[in-house]
Amino acid sequence: MTEALRREDVAHVAKLARLSLSEEELELYTEQLGQILEHANDMSTLDLEGVVPTAHPFGLINVVRDDIVRLSLSRDVVLAMAPDAEDGRFAVPRIMGEAP
Amino acid sequence: MTLPGSWEMVVGLEVHTELKTATKMFCGCANHFGAEPNTNVCPVCLGLPGSLPVLNERAVELAMAIGMALHSRIAPSTFHRKNYFYPDMPKDFQISQYDLPINSGGYLDLPDGSRVTIERAHLEEDTGKSTHLGGSGRIHGAERSLVDYNRSGVPLVEIVSGPDIRSSAQARAYAAELRGILIATGASDGRMEEGSMRIDANVSVRKSGDPFGTRCEIKNLNSLRSLHRAIDYEALRQIEVIEEGGVIRQETRHWDENLGVTSTMRTKEEAEDYRYFREPDLVDLAPEQGWQDRIRLSLPAMPAERRTKLAERLNAPTPAQLDAVGVVIDLDLEVFVNAAIDAGVDPVLAIARTANELAGGIEGIKNLTPDAFTATLLMEQSGQLSATQAKTVLGELLAHGGEPAGIVAAKGFEQLSSDSLGSTVESLIAENPDEWARYCEGDEKLAQFFIGQVMKLTKGQANGKAVIAELQTRR
Amino acid sequence: MKTAQQIARDVRSGESSAQSELDASLAAIRGRNEELNVFLYVDEAGARAAAAAIDEKVAKGDAVGPLAGVPIAIKDNMCQVGIPTTCSSKILEGWRPPYNATVIDRLVAAGAVPVGKTNLDEFAMGSSTENSAFGPTRNPLDPSRVPGGSSGGSAAAVAADMTPIALGSDTGGSIRQPAALCGLVGVKPSYGLVSRYGLIAFASSLDQIGPFSKTVMDSAILLETIAGHDPMDSTSLPEPAPSLSAHVEDGVVGKRIALVRELIEGADADVVASVNRAVEALKDAGASIIEISIPELHLGLSAYYLIAPAEASSNLARYDGVRFGLRVDAEDVEAMNTATRTAGFGAEVKRRIMLGTYALSAGYFDAYYGQALKVRTQMINAFQRAYAQADLLIGATAPSVAFPFGSKTSNPMAMYLSDVFTIPTNLAGEAAISVPFGTGEAGLPTGVQLLGPGRSEAQLFAAARVLELAEVGS
């Protein structure tokens, strides 16, 4: 059985998902997500030991493509989409930490 | 370096190698280092909404080749998403193999006879590249950053060793040997300076016989020298912390090449929650036996086998000669050695000239043919050229190409006639009566003295063996 | 309004022209789009050029495709070069894709004329089209009610005679439920039958593109046009498109059809009555009918509301303000990502992103996501057992007729329950069709759902046609 969802869980998840929530939203989402998870508890009582999880509806395997170069997009088109660009690159505000 | 007291380091390496495919891992954009920023990009490798990945067959084959060279088991595998936000990662997740990698287990034998086990070698995609503006061009203190996605989606294989490495020298030897294998399989160009091979090192220390200590991961070591230095620094740092009564915290550390120190990047508590789950846009990978067999059959000989084969051409080789054999294999120069030996050149000479002169001028190697190399060495062996002259000829061949005979003539490298050599030797005997007397009494070391003097007077144009012959006729 | 089949026939024969058919479509859009909020963007210039090109081909005697000159509406989560594609989200406002979805290329090759992009629940998350950042779509049959969702705009386009056919996407019922609520035929094809390349992902292992139409034949023609292997989608079935229109008149003689208790349980009485009448019609047409129970279907909703949000939380990470779409500036990149996503996503999208992030996070994965994947296996096995007894299954599409605006928006669980009959098909990767059959409250249409195993579309169309004949008599 899984324990009830807490406010701090929702706050943590929001941070992982890069969303910021007001106090009221935090309250509301904790309640709503809690209800959904409670509904999902009908699954947690099932004994599914040994059942193979299905991540794909069909058992296709080895779908590959030939290693042949295709046309890339034009850089002008690519950078025209960018909220900010400089010197042929996408520009972003400062990055605080190294990549994990 | 030896560690103080009974301390021992325990090291495992994660080597990331970019695969030498024509296209990226999941799209048809060119996998090409050095292109203008954001010119090799498409909806897939930019992570545009609606785009989908399709796996590059060649990347799978190169991953299998690496696994086979490392004696791994090739098994049915899957792809996962590793979720974290970072601007150089267009989808904000990385597609990587996780609990079911394409290659599991295996080992790599090093030239010193030690064996390092391989835990896995799996496929994953590379990220883009950021440039930092303002500050000092480094990430810290930068005002803003610019991102180029040309590298985004380039195929990588991550090779994870067991915690079997016990010294920085062994770590270096492992990385070098692995690099040789990656080049031999055609999987990688092994260019560490271009980032096509990058290493993370997991380092811990313990007293011999104790259980493993807490490990720290040093990220992104981009040369064999950095690997060596960073591991030594980190092991000593950990020993110092422990000996001063502290404890090692599990963390990720950054190596500063300029300062020669590692520093905390992220502690375990700050570690991301990657929320790995199966990549629903890709299907399982389970290379059938026939496909595996085709790759296995196309595998060339690996460096270890080639070293053994070449060393067999030497009679009771010395450690220095074995090192030279290693250099020949590392630089893929066997074709020169074998041609020379087959034409009758002494294997010791053939290997020495290859490991020294050819290795030293490797950037011009395309100017040199095995025939020209062989002809030069035959002239040296017959006494027609002195060692110094032969080296000069090889240098010239590497720099500009051409024919050895022509170079010999152009340089005026005709050997001194025995007449003029004889008179030079006689005048030296007259000028050095003490040395001559000791030589006559049987002190053979003095032959070297006279050879040296003759070389000086003739500016290296004499042949050492001919000098000895002249000395002996007068003794 | 003419069917797609009639339009294509008339355009090919010269009796009509692509341009005049387009004029009729554009006139209908002008007439009611403001009231109903169906189209977010109408590509009049592009459509006129495409129609003129078709007419020119016909005039020269060149071959034109099976959908020659047929105006079609596209749900605004499919990429079309240069055409604003928003997913009804502020986060994508103004973005114009530099590439076409595979379905767009195939439609154009078949001579269809895409007229514009239709409203949806933001990122296809919803069952009423009330979650659009650009306002709700109204049900053309009763503008005080929802058209269903998430493909509410595409359903409304066809129901309001703006286009004879439309494309939607179905992740948990997003084609079939609005089809039922708008009185249309709507198909959720077998997973992998239609390429997802260029369909902006909600939940990758569940999403499928499919047709809306007024007639069974039109859906069959549209589906066989867009189906078939696509090398750009690794999950695309390996075979070429099946022939479907040729099987529409196959009938159901000798077919075994099972009424599934769980697929009418909890539905309104008039919806159940329609299903029962449909069962009688199929029996009259020669099918043998049995009644079965598939208790595993009860677990569908729970599994779906973990699997779909989990995949969505990852699929929607890329809306980070770096490469395209909205950016809300901030001091550093992490703050910029957060500000952008907080401003750009609506409440339901945030709810599902957080739910999915939670289900995948360390410590909860096995209990939630892992367990849901196992339930998915149970679901597939249960369907397999059912299909050992019957060729097709039958039940309701939605528990009720179209509901009034605002009646379910305050309680997410109540809204999610409107997909309870459609979700199992997506989890199993199988095929289903919703056929308008009978009416319920306020004279609004009710939908009957026929379900089949993977690749059973031809049989589903044949059975659906039997119901269409029983209802309309032509």
Side-chain angles (χ1 to χ4, degrees):
Chain A
M1 206 65 206
T2 41
E3 48 208 276
L5 187 75
R6 298 162 304 178
R7 266 173 82 98
E8 53 265 42
D9 296 329
V10 177
H12 172 69
V13 159
K15 192 169 150 52
L16 273 179
R18 300 258 157 115
L19 294 169
S20 83
L21 300 182
S22 67
E23 281 304 309
E24 297 75 42
E25 285 173 314
L26 197 54
E27 196 70 45
L28 182 68
Y29 281 127
T30 305
E31 188 196 321
Q32 290 179 336
L33 297 182
Q35 283 168 8
I36 299 165
L37 291 171
E38 204 180 293
H39 188 273
N41 275 335
D42 61 357
M43 296 191 308
S44 60
T45 54
L46 301 175
D47 179 12
L48 298 178
E49 192 65 36
V51 174
V52 180
T54 297
H56 281 291
F58 282 99
L60 294 173
I61 56 162
N62 296 343
V63 176
V64 292
R65 64 178 176 84
D66 293 338
D67 186 24
I68 293 170
V69 176
R70 291 167 54 112
L71 211 58
S72 293
L73 291 170
S74 122
R75 183 161 78 180
D76 294 342
V77 169
V78 168
L79 293 179
M81 292 186 292
D84 190 7
E86 183 179 326
D87 200 16
R89 286 165 247 236
F90 293 83
V92 293
R94 79 169 66 106
I95 303 173
M96 295 305 275
E98 310 258 359
Chain B
M1 189 199 68
T2 42
L3 296 180
S6 56
W7 285 104
E8 175 181 76
M9 66 168 84
V10 174
V11 177
L13 297 184
E14 294 169 13
V15 175
H16 297 81
T17 181
E18 284 183 349
L19 298 179
K20 224 168 62 182
T21 51
T23 66
K24 294 185 180 183
M25 178 94 134
F26 297 118
C27 65
C29 287
N31 169 14
H32 170 56
F33 179 84
E36 280 292 299
N38 294 307
T39 51
N40 294 331
V41 293
C42 75
V44 176
C45 59
L46 280 174
L48 295 188
S51 64
L52 295 171
V54 184
L55 185 58
N56 182 342
E57 181 175 38
R58 183 75 188 136
V60 175
E61 298 186 346
L62 292 176
M64 284 199 276
I66 292 171
M68 287 168 183
L70 295 173
H71 314 279
S72 298
R73 190 168 45 84
I74 292 171
S77 61
T78 58
F79 290 89
H80 274 65
R81 290 184 182 179
K82 179 180 182 179
N83 295 285
Y84 63 94
F85 283 89
Y86 207 76
D88 66 13
M89 205 168 52
K91 302 182 294 295
D92 290 298
F93 60 77
Q94 180 195 30
I95 303 177
S96 170
Q97 297 196 302
Y98 182 53
D99 53 352
L100 296 173
I102 182 164
N103 301 299
S104 315
Y107 59 86
L108 177 57
D109 287 335
L110 304 187
D112 69 359
S114 65
R115 172 170 288 188
V116 176
T117 59
I118 302 293
E119 288 184 354
R120 53 191 281 142
H122 71 253
L123 278 160
E124 59 182 38
E125 58 175 337
D126 210 343
T127 61
K129 246 179 161 167
S130 310
T131 315
H132 308 296
L133 300 184
S136 53
R138 294 173 52 219
I139 189 163
H140 298 290
E143 300 291 323
R144 59 202 232 121
S145 300
L146 302 180
V147 194
D148 167 16
Y149 293 103
N150 280 347
R151 199 182 67 181
S152 159
V154 163
L156 293 176
V157 165
E158 178 177 338
I159 301 146
V160 182
S161 85
D164 300 342
I165 297 166
R166 294 290 176 271
S167 72
S168 53
Q170 194 190 6
R172 187 183 181 134
Y174 167 85
E177 187 68 8
L178 185 55
R179 184 173 169 274
I181 282 183
L182 295 173
I183 294 170
T185 53
S188 166
D189 56 23
R191 288 191 193 129
M192 293 190 76
E193 70 284 2
E194 289 180 2
S196 63
M197 182 173 154
R198 310 191 286 273
I199 307 178
D200 301 339
N202 285 294
V203 180
S204 65
V205 294
R206 64 170 175 183
K207 296 273 189 180
S208 296
D210 282 0
F212 289 159
T214 303
R215 65 189 161 88
C216 293
E217 183 180 17
I218 315 170
K219 287 295 235 187
N220 270 323
L221 299 167
N222 293 334
S223 71
L224 295 183
R225 190 176 119 87
S226 309
L227 173 70
H228 196 111
R229 291 174 69 208
I231 289 175
D232 277 344
Y233 174 88
E234 179 60 18
L236 287 174
R237 183 192 73 85
Q238 293 184 13
I239 291 168
E240 202 174 294
V241 168
I242 296 169
E243 289 191 335
E244 284 172 4
V247 286
I248 300 300
R249 290 179 308 165
Q250 188 175 334
E251 61 186 12
T252 308
R253 297 180 70 83
H254 169 80
W255 167 247
D256 188 315
E257 183 69 45
N258 297 322
L259 299 178
V261 299
T262 64
S263 56
T264 302
M265 224 169 98
R266 205 177 310 106
T267 63
K268 194 189 176 193
E269 292 68 38
E270 295 168 318
E272 284 270 355
D273 180 349
Y274 293 125
R275 291 157 283 137
Y276 279 100
F277 74 107
R278 280 279 297 278
E279 164 56 281
D281 290 327
L282 290 170
V283 302
D284 294 4
L285 185 59
E288 69 276 8
Q289 198 55 48
W291 192 8
Q292 292 186 38
D293 291 345
R294 282 200 302 282
I295 302 304
R296 203 177 292 279
L297 282 174
S298 69
L299 273 189
M302 291 301 121
E305 186 188 335
R306 286 157 57 191
R307 271 197 304 271
T308 307
K309 227 165 149 185
L310 190 56
E312 278 168 2
R313 307 200 78 161
L314 292 168
N315 181 29
T318 65
Q321 286 168 349
L322 287 178
D323 283 350
V325 165
V327 171
V328 171
I329 302 301
D330 282 353
L331 295 175
D332 209 4
L333 297 173
E334 295 125 294
V335 58
F336 293 98
V337 176
N338 287 328
I341 296 175
D342 292 346
V345 174
D346 176 5
V348 174
L349 178 67
I351 288 171
R353 288 286 169 268
T354 307
N356 297 315
E357 278 63 43
L358 301 198
I362 191 76
E363 60 283 350
I365 199 72
K366 60 179 184 307
N367 294 326
L368 182 67
T369 63
D371 282 352
F373 177 70
T374 301
T376 309
L377 265 59
L378 283 173
M379 282 191 267
E380 179 182 359
Q381 190 162 287
S382 71
Q384 195 187 330
L385 287 179
S386 70
T388 311
Q389 288 171 332
K391 290 175 188 178
T392 306
V393 172
L394 290 176
E396 193 62 29
L397 286 167
L398 287 166
H400 306 296
E403 284 306 312
I407 294 169
V408 166
K411 294 261 172 196
F413 285 169
E414 306 306 329
Q415 282 282 329
L416 295 178
S417 69
S418 51
D419 281 2
S420 75
L421 182 61
S423 59
T424 307
V425 168
E426 281 190 3
S427 62
L428 280 170
I429 290 172
E431 287 164 23
N432 300 284
D434 293 350
E435 285 77 3
W436 176 245
R438 278 161 56 203
Y439 178 70
C440 291
E441 284 157 19
D443 188 347
E444 299 295 333
K445 285 202 297 285
L446 281 150
Q448 288 307 315
F449 167 78
F450 284 105
I451 292 171
Q453 293 298 312
V454 171
M455 289 298 178
K456 217 158 148 189
L457 287 171
T458 61
K459 297 192 169 60
Q461 297 226 8
N463 180 314
K465 283 181 198 154
V467 175
I468 291 177
E470 293 290 341
L471 290 170
Q472 275 171 345
T473 57
R474 287 167 177 79
R475 181 147 80 173
Chain C
M1 173 125 193
K2 292 202 281 192
T3 65
Q5 192 185 21
Q6 288 164 343
I7 291 173
R9 192 189 54 211
D10 293 351
V11 167
R12 273 198 300 270
S13 70
E15 196 168 305
S16 177
S17 70
Q19 291 173 91
S20 61
E21 297 295 342
L22 175 63
D23 284 339
S25 168
L26 292 171
I29 294 169
R30 271 192 299 274
R32 287 193 84 182
N33 198 45
E34 203 170 316
E35 172 204 359
L36 301 174
N37 195 30
V38 172
F39 282 89
L40 298 177
Y41 184 85
V42 177
D43 178 26
E44 189 169 335
R48 287 198 186 282
I54 296 287
D55 289 339
E56 200 173 315
K57 275 189 174 179
V58 172
K60 280 200 289 188
D62 291 352
V64 287
L67 291 173
V70 179
I72 182 167
I74 309 291
K75 187 179 183 180
D76 198 23
N77 61 352
M78 297 174 216
C79 292
Q80 202 179 339
V81 174
I83 304 295
T85 298
T86 65
C87 281
S88 290
S89 180
K90 279 190 276 183
I91 211 154
L92 269 177
E93 204 174 350
W95 182 59
R96 292 170 186 256
Y99 76 107
N100 269 345
T102 299
V103 289
I104 300 290
D105 284 339
R106 291 188 179 176
L107 284 175
V108 170
V113 178
V115 295
K117 309 297 286 289
T118 60
N119 201 12
L120 61 149
D121 286 298
E122 186 177 1
F123 283 100
M125 297 178 187
S127 312
S128 66
T129 319
E130 289 168 288
N131 293 333
S132 167
F134 308 118
T137 294
R138 296 182 176 277
N139 190 322
L141 307 177
D142 176 351
S144 72
R145 296 178 187 244
V146 303
S150 64
S151 314
S154 282
V158 178
D161 291 331
M162 294 171 170
T163 57
I165 50 175
L167 285 186
S169 67
D170 190 316
T171 306
S174 282
I175 293 174
R176 288 161 290 163
Q177 185 256 18
L181 271 50
C182 290
L184 304 173
V185 175
V187 185
K188 187 291 203 193
S190 305
Y191 187 78
L193 188 71
V194 181
S195 169
R196 292 183 295 117
Y197 190 73
L199 168 68
I200 299 180
F202 161 16
S204 313
S205 77
L206 303 162
D207 296 342
Q208 268 293 288
I209 294 172
F212 283 103
S213 63
K214 287 210 164 153
T215 66
V216 172
M217 180 56 89
D218 274 2
S219 272
I221 295 169
L222 177 51
L223 183 53
E224 68 192 1
T225 300
I226 58 173
H229 180 69
D230 176 15
M232 298 298 282
D233 177 357
S234 306
T235 63
S236 160
L237 291 172
E239 67 267 15
S243 163
L244 299 172
S245 55
H247 294 283
V248 166
E249 304 294 348
D250 280 0
V252 290
V253 174
K255 293 286 176 197
R256 301 166 304 162
I257 298 178
L259 173 63
V260 182
R261 200 167 307 146
E262 288 75 13
L263 291 180
I264 47 174
E265 220 172 55
D268 289 354
D270 38 18
V271 172
V272 177
S274 293
V275 174
N276 286 332
R277 274 210 310 118
V279 167
E280 289 308 311
L282 291 164
K283 200 192 234 169
D284 292 346
S288 63
I289 304 290
I290 55 169
E291 262 190 66
I292 62 169
S293 166
I294 311 178
E296 288 84 353
L297 298 186
H298 284 139
L299 296 167
L301 201 65
S302 293
Y304 176 84
Y305 276 99
L306 291 171
I307 293 170
E311 292 183 12
S313 70
S314 174
N315 283 332
L316 270 62
R318 70 191 65 194
Y319 305 98
D320 59 6
V322 174
R323 290 159 302 280
F324 53 82
L326 182 72
R327 172 184 292 187
V328 176
D329 273 315
E331 274 287 280
D332 61 73
V333 85
E334 180 168 347
M336 183 277 282
N337 294 155
T338 305
T340 300
R341 293 165 62 78
T342 301
F345 289 136
E348 181 63 23
V349 171
K350 288 179 186 169
R351 186 153 42 234
R352 297 208 199 181
I353 288 175
M354 286 193 290
L355 181 59
T357 304
Y358 182 73
L360 291 175
S361 64
Y364 302 101
F365 183 96
D366 290 338
Y368 289 117
Y369 185 70
Q371 192 79 351
L373 293 187
K374 289 180 173 183
V375 167
R376 193 169 183 181
T377 307
Q378 302 286 79
M379 186 79 66
I380 290 170
N381 294 342
F383 269 120
Q384 249 168 29
R385 285 192 296 273
Y387 290 124
Q389 295 172 266
D391 299 303
L392 301 174
L393 311 179
I394 188 168
T397 305
S400 71
V401 297
F403 45 90
F405 285 101
S407 59
K408 298 183 185 193
T409 41
S410 59
N411 182 352
M413 244 2 263
M415 186 70 88
Y416 297 172
L417 281 165
S418 34
D419 296 332
V420 68
F421 301 144
T422 46
I423 278 169
T425 296
N426 299 79
L427 287 172
E430 294 170 346
I433 185 168
S434 180
V435 196
F437 199 83
T439 52
E441 184 207 336
L444 289 164
T446 51
V448 167
Q449 188 183 200
L450 291 157
L451 297 79
R455 300 176 165 106
S456 64
E457 280 79 3
Q459 290 186 68
L460 288 171
F461 280 118
R465 174 65 180 153
V466 166
L467 295 183
E468 182 175 58
L469 281 171
E471 191 74 344
V472 196
S474 66

